[in-house]
Amino acid sequence: MSFNLVKDPWIKVVEKKSGHEIIVSLREAFRNSHNYLCLSGDMKCQDLSVLRFMLAILTTVYTRFDADDNPYEWIELDDHMGFTRLVDEYEEDDLFDTWEKLYGQGHFSDAVIEYLYKNIDAFDMFGERPFYQVTREEYDSFVTEKISTGKGTVSVRQINRRISESNNSPSLFSPKSEQKKDSFSMDELVRWIITYQNYTGTADKTKMKGMKDSISSGWLYKLSPVYAEGNSLFETLVLNLVLVNQIDRDNYVNQVPVWENDILDGYVESIKRLVPPDNIAALYTTWSRLMHIEWEDDKPTIYVVGLPVLDNKNAFIEPMTVWMNKKDNIVPDTRSNKSVNKAMWRDFGMYVNADGKEDRREPGIVAWLRELKENGCIDRMKLLSLDSIFVIRDGSPSNTPILEVFNDMNINASVLFDEGENRWPRRIEDTIATTQNVANDYIKMVKKVGLIRFHGDNKQARSFSEKYGLAFYDGLNVPFKNWLSGLKDSDNRDEKISEWKNTLKQIVSDSLNDFMKGAVRSEIVGSFGKNDKINNIFTAVSLFKNKMYKKLK
């Protein structure tokens, strides 16, 4: 059997010219990235996992070579293009120059392909050091139960995140039949192995010998990721290519993807310290499991042993997460099923620090885009697309993924990074707050009417208001995203905000018309409340309108 990620096709992409989905190798993906629209894997979380894997390669290469494929003057490399030592003073500006030239020429240089071929054995699924795997002897050395006992296995259906079926809990609504749940193509298996290391869950319980720490569920699983989306796969990759280390700006930090670790014991020991890596390439390729695959008649038996959870408090090396304050630390924000229907724009303040407050930290990718704009690497009028993808767990001890949620918002770079007293981010955040206040009043009004309809039953009234609340926000999402993407730093702030308020009034008016058309007799007749005042759908709507006009002024 033979399968090498460099030469054999496994990455799903969409061609820009034809619009067709095709499968390409790593070599083709990097060489022709400008001809592909985007990654097009089996799930969005799989695309993000593969994107970060590709970024680990690019970050490694372009922190050693410039856009003309020349090693930086201050660095010494070995025959495999690996870092050996610094020979002169590190120059951060060289990295910005490399990024700007790459972005300007619109394609990656030959150094990326050369690096892949210099390290081609590391990307072989069946080599002496199989890709993302350990050898049988290494696996046995880390676990109490050896392979011969049959312990510590996971099935293909468990790794496949469209199924996520453990041995104890069958997936009833699987996209594959029972007979096909463990079937796969090699390209599919490779993509799911990379994804599984990022979104693992904890259904498998095998730990390393002597390990007392909790087993990891995957680094990405504990984030609420945000990243930039470009007009092509090349642009997506390069916009997310953070070449400057955000933790240590003064010193060169060598990028060490997992395949560049010479000794597995050293890699495992570094993870056992529970401290995240100090470089992006290592972080993007961090394992949550030691994996070994035994093959028999083209069928795999997959053995895994859990690695401990890495501490993500103040882990600012991670650029693709939203942050939140928790006690005395800043930690990645995690989303629950309550966030499923919440559009990205409603949390605008989590993605950009509108006030410049020290206790609010922007996602690293937003800070990186800000630097690129300030350094003139991207046009100030560039329309940036920020995407968010997070995976919801089922709440069980196995942390099985049950749902992925995708969101996006487009905004002009000069607007997102506007400064000054009347800066756009502050005005946008205020506008969103006003919009959500109106939406909350609308939902309260619906609940009042629901209490009349359901004769005071609070549970039914709340369910009634939640239904109409979701519909109301659905009606807001597209108009607000269009308004946001159309903003320019040259716009009159007050006029553009008034424009949105007028749009909001029209959306409210349309929603009220639909809501009142469904009124039943009890809501129309109503009942007497305090001071013999009548309560019905008309009084509730009238009170809501008065509040809205005051807030919208």
Side-chain angles (χ1 to χ4, degrees):
M1 298 177 69
S2 174
F3 194 91
N4 193 290
L5 278 68
V6 175
K7 301 182 292 183
D8 294 308
W10 64 277
I11 302 174
K12 281 187 175 183
V13 296
V14 175
E15 282 187 310
K16 290 180 74 173
K17 189 174 182 179
S18 68
H20 294 159
E21 183 181 272
I22 60 172
I23 304 178
V24 298
S25 65
L26 261 179
R27 174 183 59 194
E28 294 171 301
F30 284 124
R31 183 166 286 161
N32 301 313
S33 59
H34 53 290
N35 293 324
Y36 305 139
L37 187 62
C38 59
L39 295 173
S40 182
D42 304 293
M43 295 177 71
K44 285 287 185 181
C45 64
Q46 185 186 92
D47 287 341
L48 179 58
S49 300
V50 173
L51 176 71
R52 286 164 66 97
F53 169 75
M54 296 176 71
L55 285 169
I57 297 169
L58 293 173
T59 309
T60 301
V61 171
Y62 289 115
T63 52
R64 299 172 185 174
F65 292 84
D66 63 22
D68 295 318
D69 295 341
N70 299 311
Y72 296 115
E73 294 180 354
W74 32 265
I75 200 171
E76 182 179 274
L77 304 174
D78 62 22
D79 293 340
H80 292 276
M81 301 169 69
F83 171 81
T84 55
R85 67 188 182 100
L86 286 177
V87 295
D88 205 343
E89 187 175 350
Y90 159 63
E91 294 288 344
E92 181 183 277
D93 288 346
D94 289 348
L95 300 180
F96 279 106
D97 291 343
T98 295
W99 192 97
E100 187 174 14
K101 187 163 187 178
L102 282 175
Y103 187 65
Q105 69 189 22
H107 60 84
F108 296 115
S109 62
D110 292 337
V112 181
I113 309 302
E114 186 179 354
Y115 174 83
L116 292 175
Y117 274 93
K118 291 276 188 181
N119 298 274
I120 195 166
D121 290 345
F123 301 99
D124 191 336
M125 283 291 291
F126 302 96
E128 290 185 13
R129 168 73 64 181
F131 173 74
Y132 263 41
Q133 301 163 59
V134 298
T135 64
R136 176 169 182 161
E137 292 74 19
E138 288 170 333
Y139 181 89
D140 282 346
S141 70
F142 283 108
V143 296
T144 304
E145 303 285 352
K146 298 190 182 294
I147 283 180
S148 58
T149 67
K151 300 287 186 180
T153 62
V154 295
S155 57
V156 171
R157 66 181 67 190
Q158 189 170 334
I159 288 178
N160 186 330
R161 282 307 176 211
R162 297 182 69 194
I163 304 174
S164 293
E165 178 176 310
S166 67
N167 294 330
N168 302 319
S169 303
S171 177
L172 300 179
F173 302 102
S174 167
K176 290 189 176 185
S177 66
E178 178 62 31
Q179 293 77 16
K180 296 291 186 179
K181 284 180 179 178
D182 288 317
S183 64
F184 61 92
S185 58
M186 279 304 300
D187 62 280
E188 186 180 17
L189 181 64
V190 171
R191 293 194 303 274
W192 283 123
I193 285 176
I194 294 173
T195 307
Y196 187 70
Q197 293 286 12
N198 288 280
Y199 298 94
T200 314
T202 50
D204 55 303
K205 306 299 181 186
T206 306
K207 292 184 177 183
M208 291 188 298
K209 286 186 292 190
M211 178 177 149
K212 297 180 181 179
D213 301 292
S214 299
I215 196 169
S216 173
S217 59
W219 178 261
L220 267 181
Y221 215 165
K222 291 195 169 185
L223 306 183
S224 180
V226 56
Y227 57 98
E229 182 81 27
N231 296 322
S232 65
L233 177 57
F234 167 78
E235 192 172 59
T236 297
L237 285 165
V238 79
L239 286 175
N240 291 285
L241 181 57
V242 182
L243 293 181
V244 176
N245 191 288
Q246 300 298 301
I247 297 178
D248 189 351
R249 300 298 295 260
D250 298 325
N251 298 296
Y252 176 77
V253 178
N254 182 37
Q255 302 293 320
V256 189
V258 67
W259 53 83
E260 285 197 4
N261 287 279
D262 294 330
I263 303 174
L264 180 66
D265 286 350
Y267 176 71
V268 173
E269 286 302 316
S270 69
I271 291 182
K272 286 167 71 175
R273 290 196 295 270
L274 310 183
V275 178
D278 66 352
N279 65 94
I280 285 177
L283 186 72
Y284 284 179
T285 57
T286 293
W287 291 350
S288 60
R289 298 290 183 273
L290 296 181
M291 180 181 293
H292 173 73
I293 304 178
E294 293 270 316
W295 294 88
E296 184 176 351
D297 298 329
D298 295 346
K299 293 182 179 180
T301 302
I302 304 171
Y303 295 87
V304 296
V305 56
L307 294 170
V309 181
L310 296 180
D311 186 5
N312 60 17
K313 293 192 295 290
N314 305 316
F316 302 132
I317 187 64
E318 173 57 68
M320 292 187 183
T321 190
V322 174
W323 300 96
M324 62 181 289
N325 294 323
K326 188 175 182 180
K327 296 181 179 179
D328 296 327
N329 296 294
I330 300 177
V331 299
D333 183 43
T334 53
R335 302 300 175 96
S336 68
N337 53 11
K338 294 179 181 178
S339 306
V340 169
N341 296 299
K342 193 174 185 181
M344 192 174 177
W345 61 266
R346 291 169 60 188
D347 286 324
F348 182 82
M350 298 182 71
Y351 299 100
V352 57
N353 190 346
D355 295 320
K357 294 180 179 178
E358 293 184 1
D359 63 340
R360 293 177 66 181
R361 190 174 185 90
E362 289 179 335
I365 194 64
V366 174
W368 171 246
L369 293 171
R370 183 191 297 277
E371 280 202 76
L372 294 176
K373 183 249 182 185
E374 290 174 351
N375 282 280
C377 297
I378 57 174
D379 191 278
R380 57 189 296 274
M381 299 305 292
K382 169 73 176 172
L383 187 66
L384 298 174
S385 176
L386 295 179
D387 291 1
S388 171
I389 171 72
F390 58 93
V391 177
I392 303 294
R393 318 177 192 199
D394 66 355
S396 70
S398 63
N399 287 304
T400 302
I402 56 173
L403 182 69
E404 68 171 10
V405 181
F406 175 78
N407 260 307
D408 67 342
M409 63 179 181
N410 299 327
I411 187 167
N412 192 289
S414 63
V415 172
L416 185 64
F417 305 126
D418 192 20
E419 296 179 347
E421 290 185 7
N422 200 26
R423 57 186 175 277
W424 260 126
R426 176 70 270 167
R427 300 301 299 275
I428 291 170
E429 201 163 359
D430 289 342
T431 304
I432 291 171
T434 300
T435 302
Q436 298 204 112
N437 284 335
V438 170
N440 290 337
D441 287 343
Y442 179 86
I443 294 168
K444 289 176 184 177
M445 178 273 296
V446 175
K447 187 177 179 182
K448 276 186 182 180
V449 177
L451 287 169
I452 299 172
R453 172 180 285 206
F454 299 109
H455 310 292
D457 188 320
N458 191 64
K459 185 177 180 180
Q460 285 190 314
R462 185 172 63 250
S463 178
F464 182 65
S465 65
E466 287 173 353
K467 170 189 170 184
Y468 277 92
L470 287 174
F472 184 74
Y473 269 118
D474 282 345
L476 287 177
N477 288 339
V478 172
F480 190 88
K481 287 170 67 175
N482 290 340
W483 175 80
L484 187 64
S485 64
L487 298 178
K488 298 180 177 61
D489 64 336
S490 58
D491 289 333
N492 181 295
R493 275 53 167 172
D494 292 333
E495 287 181 2
K496 294 300 289 187
I497 291 170
S498 293
E499 178 185 304
W500 166 249
K501 287 180 177 179
N502 288 331
T503 301
L504 177 58
K505 289 175 188 175
Q506 186 58 52
I507 293 170
V508 169
S509 177
D510 294 341
S511 298
L512 287 175
N513 287 338
D514 291 339
F515 176 63
M516 295 184 76
K517 284 177 183 177
V520 299
R521 183 177 182 280
S522 60
E523 296 164 14
I524 296 170
V525 174
S527 60
F528 287 99
K530 293 180 180 179
N531 301 322
D532 291 332
K533 286 187 176 180
I534 190 73
N535 291 324
N536 59 26
I537 191 170
F538 303 108
T539 58
V541 167
S542 179
L543 181 61
F544 161 70
K545 282 184 174 180
N546 288 336
K547 284 184 178 181
M548 179 186 70
Y549 288 130
K550 286 179 181 178
K551 286 175 179 175
L552 299 184
K553 297 181 182 179

